[in-house]
Amino acid sequence: MSESLHLVCPDCLAVNRLPANRLSQNPKCGQCHQSLFSGHPLALTAKSFEIHLARNDIPLLVDFWADWCGPCKMMAPAFAQAAQVLEPRIRLGKVDTEAEQALSARFNIRSIPTLILFKGGKELTRQAGALSAQDIVRWVNSQL
């Protein structure tokens, strides 16, 4: 029998239980029937961040960024490319530090962009500064 994973739907935030061996088979949400993975980072609010952090059994990689930040804008396409490579093994999300200041303060974000890799609901590691897609993938793979 295959190990089951809990995955949060990016659309309706329902928690889905899925056999681990079906992760790469474009799984759909049991509630809203949307794809559980899109190949794109999710825009996370305080509420959706908490659910993804606490309920996903796969690691969560979060880009803390701001619209006014030049390096953040430069890294955005690279982060999107990394999502295409890392999903469905890892959930990728973006937190706008201007809109979600409480999250920014909670994680002591001092410079942006900052990437934080979470596993099991806890911070595993972080990286400040803009990276290329290849460097993001390499960094994440070296941490897991």
Side-chain angles (χ1 to χ4, degrees):
M1 184 145 155
S2 177
E3 173 191 358
S4 289
L5 297 172
H6 289 102
L7 298 171
V8 177
C9 176
D11 291 302
C12 71
L13 301 179
V15 179
N16 292 264
R17 193 168 73 184
L18 181 79
N21 62 359
R22 290 200 46 233
L23 197 59
S24 62
Q25 299 173 359
N26 194 25
K28 306 254 187 258
C29 176
Q31 184 168 316
C32 73
H33 308 291
Q34 296 298 313
S35 181
L36 292 177
F37 296 99
S38 66
H40 302 286
L42 307 175
L44 298 173
T45 63
K47 177 185 175 187
S48 63
F49 174 87
E50 292 303 329
I51 294 169
H52 281 283
L53 182 66
R55 301 300 308 269
N56 271 318
D57 286 340
I58 59 174
L60 174 65
L61 177 62
V62 179
D63 173 18
F64 289 85
W65 69 284
D67 191 46
W68 52 262
C69 170
C72 297
K73 287 183 176 184
M74 287 176 32
M75 190 177 83
F79 196 69
Q81 288 175 338
Q84 294 173 359
V85 175
L86 294 170
E87 282 190 355
R89 216 170 34 95
I90 297 168
R91 171 76 71 201
L92 280 79
K94 295 176 73 71
V95 171
D96 181 345
T97 58
E98 293 293 309
E100 301 297 341
Q101 292 182 11
L103 281 176
S104 182
R106 174 178 163 192
F107 291 103
N108 201 25
I109 303 299
R110 295 287 178 230
S111 64
I112 52 175
T114 293
L115 299 177
I116 301 182
L117 182 61
F118 298 93
K119 186 174 181 184
K122 297 188 180 350
E123 181 177 333
L124 186 60
T125 188
R126 67 174 59 201
Q127 171 72 43
L131 298 173
S132 69
Q134 295 164 328
D135 288 337
I136 294 168
V137 171
R138 189 174 312 125
W139 175 71
V140 168
N141 287 335
S142 74
Q143 302 301 315
L144 295 175

